[in-house]
Amino acid sequence: MELWVFVSALLLSAASALAGDDGWLLVVQPEVRAREGHPVVLPCSFSHPLHSHHASLQVMWRRGHGPESALVFRCVSQGAPEGCVADPHQDQRFRLEGNPREHDLSLWINSATLLDSGRYYCHLQIQGKDHSEKMGTRVRVEAPPKIQWVALEAGADGGFSAVCRVEGSPLPDVQWLEAGVRGRGSEGAWPRGSEGAVPTGASPFHAVARLQDAQPQTHYTCAATNPLGRDQATLYFLRPLCPAATLQPLTLLLSLTLGSKVALLLGAGLWMLRRGSLQRLLWCGGE
C-alpha cells in the first residue's frame, strides 16, 4: 500500500499539467486481483485546484457504469474530526481505506467473494464540484475449484447421465474418471460419452460437466482443477437387487472423513426405508 501511495504521488505531480481545464485528476489502478475470502484494496488518489476542502465532501464507489451501476460505498464528511462518515445501511464489508483529507479515496473490501468481481469507479464531490474516474478498476476475484454437487439424470431413452456442477475462478477444467481409468491428459482416456465443462450461462464462475451413458455397478469421479487447486467427488451408481423393482439409483458422495461417510450412508438408508425401497430389497433377498 505504501508503494502505491508513493507511485500515485509521482503520477499526480507528473500529470498535473494534463489534468484538464478544471484541474481535476483521479488516479486508479487498472486491475486488482483478489483471493476469495481475503481482503482487497482498490487504490484511488486525486488532485484538485481548490485551495481548501474542509467543507462538504462526499466519496462514492460504484460497481458498473451507467444506469445499471450499483452504489457499493458512500461516505460524507462535513469537516468534522471523525472524518468521512459511511452510510450505516450499506454492506459493512466495504469501507474507506484512505483518508480523503490526504487525497486518498482507496476502498477496502473485506472477505471478497466471486460476486465482488467487476469494474469499480471512484467518485468524489467537493464543495459542489463533482468528478468521476472514467476508466475504472477491474477487480478479479479468484477461487480454487469447488464441486457443488454430482448427480444422476435419467434420459428419455431410459439411460442415465452423470452430472457434475463446479465453481471456481478461473473456470475449472473438469474430468470424469471411471473406476480404473485415468482422465485425459495422462494415460488412457475419458469414459465413453463424457463431455468437458460447459459454462452454465447464469454465472461466469459455474460450469457443468456431463457423462453420458453411465453404467450401474460403477463409480465415477468428477475432478475439477484450476491454477489455485483441485477438488473431486465420487459418484456410486448402484444397481437395485430386485430386477423387477423400479430403478432408483442411489448416489453416494465420498467425504474426507469416515464419520461423514457413515452419516451419509445412514441417511441414505433412512431415505430408502421411508420410500419402501429397503423393504422391497429385503423381501427380494429372501426369495
Side-chain angles (χ1 to χ4, degrees):
M1 188 63 189
E2 292 79 5
L3 178 61
W4 164 251
V5 173
F6 174 73
V7 172
S8 58
L10 291 178
L11 291 173
L12 287 172
S13 60
S16 58
L18 304 176
D21 295 336
D22 58 1
W24 287 83
L25 179 67
L26 270 76
V27 177
V28 299
Q29 193 165 315
E31 182 175 280
V32 172
R33 293 194 175 188
R35 183 73 178 264
E36 184 183 36
H38 293 259
V40 60
V41 175
L42 282 58
C44 178
S45 57
F46 72 96
S47 65
H48 66 92
L50 303 178
H51 297 292
S52 174
H53 53 252
H54 292 291
S56 176
L57 179 150
Q58 179 175 246
V59 179
M60 289 190 297
W61 278 88
R62 306 187 74 91
R63 182 171 57 238
H65 195 268
E68 297 182 356
S69 66
L71 180 66
V72 298
F73 178 82
R74 175 178 177 270
C75 71
V76 177
S77 174
Q78 301 293 342
E82 61 268 19
C84 203
V85 180
D87 185 345
H89 301 294
Q90 60 197 5
D91 191 338
Q92 296 303 303
R93 294 184 306 118
F94 296 83
R95 65 174 173 84
L96 205 61
E97 171 71 3
N99 183 352
R101 304 298 170 182
E102 299 177 358
H103 294 198
D104 188 355
L105 310 178
S106 300
L107 181 71
W108 171 286
I109 305 177
N110 189 41
S111 188
T113 71
L114 290 175
L115 296 179
D116 292 325
S117 299
R119 191 171 293 276
Y120 290 74
Y121 296 86
C122 181
H123 177 87
L124 174 66
Q125 181 186 85
I126 297 179
Q127 297 181 5
K129 294 283 188 176
D130 291 310
H131 196 76
S132 298
E133 199 282 319
K134 305 300 181 183
M135 299 303 294
T137 297
R138 183 173 183 179
V139 176
R140 293 179 181 267
V141 181
E142 300 178 337
K146 182 186 301 181
I147 295 179
Q148 297 183 309
W149 47 260
V150 294
L152 285 173
E153 288 187 357
D157 59 355
F160 287 86
S161 300
V163 183
C164 178
R165 179 182 168 96
V166 300
E167 175 186 81
S169 177
L171 195 65
D173 174 62
V174 181
Q175 296 178 335
W176 274 109
L177 310 175
E178 192 174 303
V181 179
R182 296 186 180 183
R184 191 195 312 185
S186 57
E187 299 178 7
W190 280 3
R192 181 172 60 87
S194 62
E195 300 176 358
V198 178
T200 61
S203 167
F205 313 114
H206 297 92
V208 171
R210 188 180 305 273
L211 172 65
Q212 306 289 348
D213 194 25
Q215 299 298 311
Q217 303 302 102
T218 308
H219 68 266
Y220 301 96
T221 297
C222 175
T225 58
N226 73 5
L228 280 74
R230 172 186 173 93
D231 192 19
Q232 69 180 42
T234 300
L235 178 75
Y236 281 91
F237 186 178
L238 304 182
R239 185 191 300 275
L241 299 180
C242 292
T246 302
L247 183 61
Q248 294 179 332
L250 176 63
T251 61
L252 302 179
L253 294 180
L254 290 183
S255 303
L256 296 178
T257 64
L258 178 61
S260 300
K261 297 177 186 178
V262 173
L264 189 58
L265 287 170
L266 290 176
L270 291 174
W271 176 82
M272 294 178 66
L273 185 60
R274 290 181 179 178
R275 295 178 62 92
S277 301
L278 188 58
Q279 184 177 2
R280 290 199 302 271
L281 294 179
L282 292 176
W283 277 109
C284 183
E287 291 179 352

